[in-house]
Amino acid sequence: MYPYTPTPLEQSIERLFQAMEIAEPHQLDPEAIAHRLSIWVHYAPFSSQAIDRSGLQSIVLDNRLSKQEQWQDFGHELCHLLHHAGNQLAMGESFIRFQETKAMNFAYQFCIPTFMLLKTELPRLEAEAVTTISGTFGVTPEFARERLKRHYRQVTSNRLAEKLTAFFHAEEIVKRTEGIDYIVPTGRSKMLFCRERGVIGYMRDRDESE
């Protein structure tokens, strides 16, 4: 398991599962989760939807879908109940799209929680990793593939942030040690400037072709 800084959404989902004492993928069952959250689950031959009538919350899952698709829909509709309010029929189209985008992102994070994904040993080949995620978390291969892509993007973002933090930390150490107040980019070099002594030197940028 590599160092990883979770996003606020990932943290909130992990806390939600911790509150329900769910720590492993085999515990990801929509009916059991709904029961712990006091949400009714129904099955009917129409598109899945979330219903909140005066605090009585229900999720209707399309019974024509596979178990994997129902689990994915459950994550999507749960977001509407936990984070959204109001009747979409009375909302503007742009706000509906905003809610649907958030619900879609939530579903990817909820159905395949990051804290569980980080503990899952994934094969190097993408196709094999997708198969592993699909089987482990009970989602379709398409859903697993998109989740994997999003996860890799976040991992890359994390590593870039770590490198930038390390760079700026190292720069601050140099500035304090050498009595430098400012490091100012000037073309292919950086000017080292001290408020008391003025320009005290230049530092050549590393040539990327070297």
Side-chain angles (χ1 to χ4, degrees):
M1 183 173 168
Y2 43 83
Y4 181 85
T5 302
T7 65
L9 175 59
E10 290 169 336
Q11 291 175 331
S12 68
I13 287 175
E14 182 174 0
R15 287 194 297 269
L16 177 62
F17 280 121
Q18 287 175 341
M20 294 187 289
E21 299 182 336
I22 293 176
E24 302 294 335
H26 67 84
Q27 298 174 286
L28 298 174
D29 175 76
E31 293 191 11
I33 292 172
H35 177 72
R36 295 183 186 189
L37 296 175
S38 299
I39 296 172
W40 293 91
V41 175
H42 308 280
Y43 298 87
F46 51 79
S47 298
S48 301
Q49 58 184 270
I51 301 171
D52 188 337
R53 293 198 179 111
S54 302
L56 182 61
Q57 297 181 323
S58 303
I59 292 178
V60 180
L61 295 176
D62 189 339
N63 62 13
R64 299 166 297 181
L65 300 178
S66 66
K67 290 292 185 183
Q68 292 87 348
E69 291 169 319
Q70 288 176 354
W71 169 233
Q72 294 161 197
D73 275 9
F74 177 83
H76 184 103
E77 301 304 332
L78 181 63
C79 178
H80 289 309
L81 291 180
L82 295 181
H83 299 291
H84 300 157
N87 184 349
Q88 283 194 342
L89 295 176
M91 296 177 185
E93 185 176 336
S94 60
F95 192 70
I96 292 174
R97 285 199 302 269
F98 171 73
Q99 284 195 343
E100 289 302 307
T101 298
K102 288 192 65 176
M104 183 183 301
N105 186 48
F106 180 92
Y108 281 118
Q109 302 285 351
F110 183 85
C111 296
I112 307 175
T114 298
F115 74 98
M116 295 186 192
L117 183 59
L118 290 171
K119 293 186 291 185
T120 303
E121 188 172 343
L122 297 178
R124 289 184 176 274
L125 292 178
E126 180 181 315
E128 295 178 1
V130 166
T131 299
T132 297
I133 294 172
S134 176
T136 301
F137 294 93
V139 298
T140 63
E142 295 77 16
F143 191 94
R145 184 174 293 105
E146 177 62 24
R147 178 65 172 94
L148 184 62
K149 288 180 181 178
R150 291 172 180 237
H151 179 63
Y152 282 160
R153 284 199 296 267
Q154 188 61 34
V155 168
T156 300
S157 176
N158 263 250
R159 289 174 177 169
L160 177 59
E162 287 178 3
K163 288 181 179 179
L164 288 174
T165 299
F167 171 79
F168 288 120
H169 179 64
E171 191 173 83
E172 285 301 315
I173 291 176
V174 171
K175 287 166 69 176
R176 287 198 300 269
T177 303
E178 302 297 330
I180 299 169
D181 292 308
Y182 304 105
I183 298 179
V184 184
T186 56
R188 297 183 63 80
S189 65
K190 292 183 175 68
M191 180 177 67
L192 310 180
F193 183 83
C194 173
R195 280 192 292 262
E196 294 181 355
R197 293 178 288 160
V199 177
I200 60 176
Y202 290 85
M203 181 170 62
R204 181 173 175 270
D205 286 346
R206 179 181 179 272
D207 191 339
E208 293 298 333
S209 62
E210 291 179 354

